[in-house]
Structures are given as C-alpha cells and as structure tokens.
C-alpha cells in the first residue's frame, strides 16, 4: 500500500490509498462498458423498485413469499449501489484511486449484502417447502411474526460478523504494491497486498463463507429436494403444475444466483509475480464474469415478474 507522509509541525499523518486496476487496461472500451453497466444498474434498480412497490401496496401480495421477495429486491438494490456506481466512476476517470476508509466500507457492505442474500434465499426455500409440502399448516408456520423474526435474525447475525471481518483487514499492515486486481474492494485481492502472514484472516473468511454461503446452500438443496419429491408424487396434473409454478421461479433465481456468484469468485487469481499478459487476461475474464453476474441480478426480478400471475395482475392494476 502507498504511504503518503505529510509533516505539519510536529504532527505526521499517514494517508493510505489503493488503486483499483479494474478496467484500466482497456481504455478503448471505456464508453461502451460505461453504457452497458449503466443500463445494468438502471434496469436492476428500476425492476426491483417496482417489485418493492407492488408487494407493499397490493393486498393480494401480503404473503410470506412476497414479504421475502420484497426484502430480496431491496438487498439487490443495495448490493449493486455499493459496487456499480464506483465502477462507473472509475470508467470515467480511468484512475481507480480509493482511500483505505472507502475501500473498507465497500468491503463491509459487499460482504453484508451478499451474505444476507444467501440467507434470504434459504428462507425463501423454506417458505416454498412449507407451502408445497405442508400447505394446511402454512399460515401457522409462516406467520407474519415468524417472517419478521427470520429477516431480523439475518441482519442481527450478519452485521457483527461482517464488521469483525472488516476490522481484521483494517488491522493489517500493507506494503509494496497498492494495486488491487479487481473492480471493487474485496477481501482476497486485498489480502495479497498485506505484509506478513494472513493465514488467520483467510481462515476466518473461509469460516464466514461456510456459515453464510455453504450452510444456506445446503438448506436450499434439502428444501428443493423435498419439494421436487413432493411434486413428483402421484397427483392430478393440475395440482402438480400449480405446485411447480410456485417453485420454478424461485429455483431459477437460486440456481442463477449461486452459479454465477461461485463462477465469479472461484476464478483462479494470478500471483503477483506473473507477467502483465496474464494479468490482462485475468482482468478480461473478470469483466466477462462481472457481466454475467450483473445480468443475473438484472433478470432476477424479471423472472419473478413474468412467471408469476399474482405479480402480473398487480402490475396491470
């Protein structure tokens, strides 16, 4: 990390700054990329805002399913607002300078909203499981109080963990290069710039990832398995189609979310000693998967809207 020392009388202030490489190696595509990501951002915000609006004002959508969908849409708006505007700014000025405080804040918010989305997807899977496999007790099990408690528990459990992770990063010492091989501040590329051993920090990240990503993923898998098993039981074709229609849109969003997120974050990261060509190749792959991930975020509300009769009816009203 770069240290800029400024001495004023007897006071010495250390100003720390990162440089996000992002799109710096492809300046010729600056305006094209800016336009694409700007359209992504507007589409995601507008579509999710419509879902938030109609699920709040339409009486027929005051159910647990749409309660969770409302919060999921809010989280998607928050997530892209933390990342895309910064990317748009970097595309315009081609500098990518970001202060340590701004970087730490972005890391904290990205981790928080990403983790909460995983937890919320698990809750939505449980909601669909109860609705399809235990419909007679659905109103009792998924009462409004229970829904509020589940969402509140997600925030309460997520905030202190993410703050702890960010504090761990802020306590590290940085030296050498200040360049982050990413479009926004994220834990793995920041760890590469730290002096000394970051083994404990990386283990803590893996533990948090297991709790907030793998545990919800396993719960989603179990719920989906039970739902599919229930749908395949002998019943009328109409009943089977109705059960599947309430589950298919959620399953599509969950699969897209986890597949694109894992593909984005499990890409091999080059070592700092590799040549520039490999770094540029890495950045180009990151651009592709960044497109893929944000396209998924853009289509999530559309999938729910176009494949759900209740939402379509509310939109017509």
């Amino acid at each position: 990390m770069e240290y800029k020392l400024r001495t004023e009388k007897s006071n010495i202030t250390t100003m720390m700054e990162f440089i996000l490489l992002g799109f710096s190696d492809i300046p010729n595509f600056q305006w094209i990329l800016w336009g694409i990501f700007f359209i992504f951002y507007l589409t995601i915000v507008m579509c999710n805002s419509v879902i938030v609006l109609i699920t709040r004002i339409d009486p027929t959508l005051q159910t647990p399913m749409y309660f969770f969908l409302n919060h999921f849409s809010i989280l998607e708006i928050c997530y892209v607002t933390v990342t895309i505007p910064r990317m748009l700014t970097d595309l315009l000025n081609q500098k990518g300078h970001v202060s340590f405080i701004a970087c730490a804040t972005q890391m904290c918010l990205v981790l928080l909203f990403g983790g909460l989305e995983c937890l919320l997807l698990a809750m939505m899977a449980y909601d669909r499981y109860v609705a399809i496999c235990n419909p007679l007790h659905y109103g009792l099990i998924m009462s409004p109080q229970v829904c509020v408690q589940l969402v509140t528990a997600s925030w309460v459990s997520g905030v202190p963990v993410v703050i702890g992770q960010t504090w761990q990063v802020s306590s590290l010492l940085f030296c050498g290069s200040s360049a982050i091989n990413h479009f926004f501040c994220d834990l793995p590329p920041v760890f590469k710039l730290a002096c000394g051993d970051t083994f404990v920090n990386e283990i803590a990240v893996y533990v948090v990832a297991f709790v907030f990503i793998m545990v919800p993923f396993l719960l989603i898998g179990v719920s989906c398995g039970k739902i599919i098993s229930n749908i395949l039981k002998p019943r009328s074709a109409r009943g089977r189609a109705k059960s599947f229609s309430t589950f298919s849109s959620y399953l599509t969003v969950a699969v897209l979310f986890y597949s694109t997120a894992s593909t984005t974050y499990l890409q091999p990261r080059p070592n700092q000693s590799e040549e520039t060509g490999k770094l540029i190749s890495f950045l180009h792959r990151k651009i592709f998967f960044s497109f893929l991930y944000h396209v998924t975020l853009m289509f999530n509300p559309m999938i729910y809207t176009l494949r759900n009769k209740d939402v379509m009816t509310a939109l017509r009203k």
Side-chain angles (χ1 to χ4, degrees), residues 51-71 127-128 138-139 142-145 147-148 308 310-311 314 317:
I51 289 181
V52 172
L53 179 63
I54 62 175
T55 54
R56 287 182 179 273
I57 65 175
D58 194 292
T60 62
L61 301 183
Q62 305 301 313
T63 64
M65 174 181 174
Y66 297 107
F67 174 80
F68 291 126
L69 179 58
N70 174 51
H71 284 271
D127 170 73
R128 292 299 84 207
Y138 179 70
M142 300 302 297
S143 64
Q145 294 81 7
C147 295
V148 172
N308 192 292
D310 294 333
V311 176
K317 290 180 181 179

Side-chain angles (χ1 to χ4, degrees), residues 7 21 24 33 35 51 81 96 100 145 153-154 210 216 222 227 272:
T7 304
L21 293 183
S24 60
L33 292 173
I51 289 181
T81 301
F100 179 81
Q145 294 81 7
S154 299
F210 179 80
V222 171
I227 291 171
Q272 292 179 347

Side-chain angles (χ1 to χ4, degrees), residues 72-88:
F72 188 77
S73 297
I74 292 174
L75 284 175
E76 287 205 338
I77 294 173
C78 294
Y79 186 88
V80 296
T81 301
V82 171
T83 56
I84 293 186
R86 175 76 211 190
M87 294 164 63
L88 294 175

Side-chain angles (χ1 to χ4, degrees), residues 34-53:
W34 190 93
I36 293 174
F37 277 102
F38 182 70
I39 293 173
F40 283 172
Y41 181 66
L42 283 184
T43 305
I44 293 169
V45 172
M46 290 177 62
C47 290
N48 282 287
S49 297
V50 169
I51 289 181
V52 172
L53 179 63

Side-chain angles (χ1 to χ4, degrees), residues 132 231 235-247:
I132 295 174
I231 291 175
R235 60 171 67 188
S236 66
R238 182 178 180 182
R240 184 179 301 173
K242 183 178 180 180
S243 297
F244 184 75
S245 66
T246 63
F247 170 65

